Amino acid sequence: MAAHHLHSSARSEMGAKIGDVFFAEPLFDTLPDVVFFLKDRQGRYVVVNQTLARRCGMKDKAGLLGKTANEVFAAPLGQRFQAQDQAVLDDGMLIEDQLELHLYPNRDPGWCLTQKRPLRDAHGAIIGLAGVSRDLAMADHKNPAYHKVADAVRLIHEKYSEPLTLPQLARTAHMSVAQIERYFDRIFHLTPRQMIIKTRLEAASRLLAGSASVADIAQACGYADHSAFTRQFRATVGVTPSEYRQLQRGD
């Protein structure tokens, strides 16, 4: 208890002495695989890192400041991000490890895990939000644990068009359900279910560049019906498959 009190006291003392509360901004500028931002109560960018500016096609960070997601990202993606922001700003919602496929204004897609949380003043009132989106890197095949889940990953990549269950993946890897969940998190920073969704939607995004109908793409990617596919795609990407196709083509 005494150690906890000492820690809290040290935090408060240092917090009172820091001259620039945005001291972390230049640190985030050095991370090419992490998007970082702070927004005010109206959802406008107040602080961003260089990675976000670059992916939005801006020459420098100043081009983003004062703008909302709705003004930066093409419709309807911008409205989706802004609605997500409002849920954090109005209701204090925490967004944790949200698997998302971002399609940036330069139409460069990228998978990431997004975190958003409200910023509060000394009285607890929400005054803005902070967020990061971390790129999902390729799995480290040299990780000694990788071979333990390789068969399950192979099954997902080969059979994503079929119904896949967690117990089935665990049996394929000769593990318990708890073990395979732990190994997936350690290696991929994803749950097995997130891996299935990611694999299916990666395939769908490739097929959407062609001329196949959305219904045919849904079936090819393991979805029982068009509406289920559209709901999952929109929940993860932020737009419907048809809207994504238009954004890809620059329509």
Side-chain angles (χ1 to χ4, degrees), residues 82-129:
Q82 193 151 338
Q84 192 182 64
D85 289 347
Q86 283 304 129
V88 177
L89 293 167
D90 294 342
D91 304 322
M93 176 187 295
L94 295 179
I95 296 173
E96 299 179 306
D97 287 334
Q98 174 71 45
L99 178 65
E100 295 180 332
L101 177 60
H102 282 184
L103 189 65
Y104 290 96
N106 60 7
R107 294 196 287 279
D108 185 21
W111 286 97
C112 63
L113 289 176
T114 295
Q115 328 276 335
K116 289 183 182 179
R117 58 186 60 244
L119 294 174
R120 299 179 184 273
D121 65 15
H123 304 289
I126 296 175
I127 58 172
L129 66 84

Side-chain angles (χ1 to χ4, degrees), residues 36 44 159 233:
F36 166 73
R44 297 173 298 203
K159 304 291 186 180
F233 197 96

Side-chain angles (χ1 to χ4, degrees), residues 10 15 19 22 28 38 63 73 84-85 94 121 132 140 150 182 191 196 216 222 233 241 248 251:
F22 300 133
F28 278 103
L38 300 179
F73 294 91
Q84 192 182 64
D85 289 347
L94 295 179
D121 65 15
V132 294
D140 181 5
R182 185 165 62 250
T191 66
I196 293 171
D216 287 344
F233 197 96
Q248 272 189 320
D251 294 348

